Amino acid sequence: KYGEDKKKYDAFIDQFGIPLKEGLYQDHDNRDDLLELVRFKSSKEEGWVSLAEYKSRMKPDQKSVFYITGDNETNLKHSPLLEMYRDKDIEVLIMDQDIDEFVIPSVNKYQDHEFKSVNYSDAADELKTDEDKKEENDLKPLIKKMKKVLGDQVKDIQASTRLKESPSCIVADSNDPTAKMQEIMKAMGQAGGQEVKPILEINPSHAIVRKLSGMKKSKSFDNISQLLLDQAVLLEGAKLTNPTEFVDRLNSILTESI
């Protein structure tokens, strides 16, 4: 039986993990059995983990199986999107294979637990506290000013529940494809004509955001607001529209700080 010898099974997954996931996508009749066979990388340990192992480590009040998608395991493990989950000691599955973007949404759940992508803006809703809601309200004036600066570069700006150390991150609206899926669609020639805008989340407790809240509208305010978006885009693994402007803004802020 596969799984009894983890080292051998890991070697099997290295070779046949993707075909197993293809089976998940195509073979609905055997999906429950295949869910026990597939393996994923994890924010908690090296190598492959099963969904049964993940479930055994879930918090008593945890409702969802959390996962993150993207290009690179190392970058994903250090993504700002995982900060809250690390803080709460919640495991997140690391999905860096293209097929994951198709398979997991089609499967939807493991036993009684829904899969929930932390790449989406609503992923942290079930973990939100009353203090988080208060901080959201306190940031409304700043968010209003930042929206005037960033305009249609973003779909929305929100106070972040998930960020603990980083000042900002970008996420997708729950009705939009993730950044990774957009890349896949472009590579397949199916991107369509309309560009999908990200949601910018800012960390209410970060020193940069707190200082920005006290600033009047100025060129420095505009530059910092734009840099919060630009660095979030870079950390997501996406490309900046205008790298030259990014460098100019960064140099301007550095000059002011010297």
Side-chain angles (χ1 to χ4, degrees), residues 170-188:
I170 55 169
V171 290
D173 183 271
S174 57
N175 297 312
D176 291 336
T178 64
K180 174 68 173 175
M181 179 58 88
Q182 290 176 57
E183 287 181 11
I184 295 170
M185 291 168 68
K186 284 179 182 176
M188 296 171 63

Side-chain angles (χ1 to χ4, degrees), residues 222-244:
D222 293 355
N223 282 337
I224 295 170
S225 297
Q226 185 66 54
L227 285 171
L228 285 175
L229 173 60
D230 290 346
Q231 71 172 15
V233 169
L234 289 172
L235 284 171
E236 187 66 15
K239 293 180 180 180
L240 295 176
T241 304
N242 194 322
T244 302

Side-chain angles (χ1 to χ4, degrees), residues 58 62 68 75 84 98 100 105 111 118 127 134 173 181:
M58 288 176 69
Q62 185 179 337
I68 183 172
N75 290 345
M84 176 190 66
D98 288 355
D100 294 322
Q111 297 180 5
V118 305
L127 303 172
K134 180 183 180 301
D173 183 271
M181 179 58 88

Side-chain angles (χ1 to χ4, degrees), residues 133-144:
K133 294 173 184 176
K134 180 183 180 301
E135 288 181 336
E136 285 180 359
N137 192 60
D138 292 343
L139 270 190
K140 283 181 179 178
L142 172 61
I143 288 173
K144 185 178 180 180

